[in-house]
C-alpha cells in the first residue's frame, strides 16, 4: 500500500503564492508519474499538472504560466508551486502517483489539502 502525504495548503489572498508538497515515505519501488488534481466544491476532480519520471509535464489551461510542477523521483516527492493565485483556484488539492511496473497502471491518492484563496 502506498501512502501519500500532502502538505502546504492553507489560506492565501489573490495574487499570493503557495507551495504544495507530496511525499511517499517508505516506498520500495519506483513511480512512473506524479500529479496534482483539484476538486472545487460541487465540481468534478480535475487534473492541474502532471510530471513523468522522464520530466514531461502537462498543465491545465487555467494554471499555465502560474503553476509549476516539479518532481524528485529519487525521493518520490512532487511539488506544486502556485503563483498569482485567484479565488478560482480554491479547491481541495490531491496528490496522485502511479506506476505501470506490474502491467496495468496502478495509482494512489493523497488525502487532499485545502487551498482557499480570498479576493
Amino acid at each position: 500500500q502506498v501512502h501519500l502525504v500532502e502538505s502546504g495548503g492553507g489560506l492565501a489572498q489573490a495574487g499570493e503564492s503557495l507551495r504544495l508538497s507530496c511525499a511517499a515515505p517508505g516506498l520500495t519501488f519506483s513511480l512512473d508519474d506524479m500529479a496534482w488534481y483539484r476538486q472545487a466544491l460541487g465540481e468534478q476532480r480535475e487534473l492541474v499538472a502532471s510530471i513523468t519520471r522522464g520530466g514531461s509535464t502537462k498543465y491545465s489551461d487555467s494554471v499555465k504560466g502560474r503553476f509549476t510542477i516539479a518532481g524528485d523521483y529519487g525521493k518520490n516527492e512532487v511539488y506544486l508551486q502556485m503563483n498569482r493565485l485567484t479565488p478560482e483556484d480554491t479547491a481541495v488539492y490531491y496528490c496522485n502517483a502511479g506506476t505501470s511496473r506490474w502491467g496495468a497502471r496502478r495509482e494512489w491518492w493523497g488525502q487532499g489539502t485545502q487551498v482557499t484563496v480570498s479576493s
Side-chain angles (χ1 to χ4, degrees):
Q1 183 66 22
V2 175
H3 183 51
L4 300 179
V5 180
E6 299 147 337
S7 61
L11 300 175
Q13 292 192 331
E16 293 184 339
S17 299
L18 287 173
R19 185 173 185 260
L20 305 182
S21 298
C22 174
L27 200 63
T28 58
F29 56 87
S30 301
L31 295 166
D32 295 324
D33 54 83
M34 291 185 283
W36 288 97
Y37 285 73
R38 69 185 181 187
Q39 187 168 17
L41 195 62
E43 303 290 334
Q44 289 188 335
R45 190 172 298 189
E46 63 173 357
L47 175 68
V48 176
S50 66
I51 184 166
T52 67
R53 170 175 287 277
S56 296
T57 59
K58 290 183 181 179
Y59 294 93
S60 70
D61 288 343
S62 61
V63 307
K64 279 181 183 176
R66 299 188 299 121
F67 291 10
T68 302
I69 190 170
D72 185 336
Y73 279 85
K75 297 180 179 179
N76 292 317
E77 296 179 355
V78 64
Y79 317 98
L80 185 69
Q81 178 65 42
M82 304 185 294
N83 297 330
R84 303 200 310 274
L85 286 162
T86 73
E88 288 69 36
D89 296 317
T90 295
V92 178
Y93 284 70
Y94 296 91
C95 177
N96 174 276
T99 181
S100 299
R101 63 186 291 109
W102 297 292
R105 184 175 185 275
R106 294 181 61 182
E107 64 177 2
W108 299 270
W109 294 91
Q111 78 284 358
T113 184
Q114 177 71 45
V115 171
T116 303
V117 184
S118 62
S119 58

